[in-house]
Amino acid sequence: MEIIGVIVAGIIIGLLGKFVAPGDKDNIPIWLTILCGIGGVIIGWFVYTAFGGNGSPGVDWTRWIVAIVVSAILVVIASTVTGRSSARR
């Protein structure tokens, strides 16, 4: 996939990953969400092929679901590491 395709897919997958992330994970900036999405696409596709995924004709939904799950995990990790608390003092 070309770099532009990865960036566009990363934006969409990053927002989907932020949506499916458990709890209140809205405390990270949008640019970090997009980076998590791009990383989710790249790592998710690598994991998919490592476990025997070879693609299918048309849209390969399993590969996209793996990318969304990996992106959600990266959003949770980024939220934990950045440590921006939404609680007021």
Side-chain angles (χ1 to χ4, degrees):
M1 181 180 260
E2 296 179 1
I3 190 71
I4 301 297
V6 170
I7 291 172
V8 170
I11 291 169
I12 295 168
I13 297 296
L15 295 176
L16 285 173
K18 188 172 187 174
F19 178 71
V20 300
D24 183 27
K25 300 299 176 192
D26 292 334
N27 58 353
I28 63 173
I30 193 73
W31 63 268
L32 189 54
T33 302
I34 292 171
L35 286 179
C36 290
I38 293 170
V41 168
I42 294 170
I43 295 170
W45 289 359
F46 176 75
V47 168
Y48 173 75
T49 56
F51 284 103
N54 58 357
S56 64
V59 178
D60 193 359
W61 293 107
T62 307
R63 183 184 343 192
W64 289 108
I65 291 170
V66 170
I68 292 170
V69 169
V70 171
S71 181
I73 292 169
L74 290 177
V75 166
V76 169
I77 291 171
S79 178
T80 303
V81 169
T82 57
R84 292 172 64 186
S85 176
S86 59
R88 297 180 186 256
R89 290 183 169 204

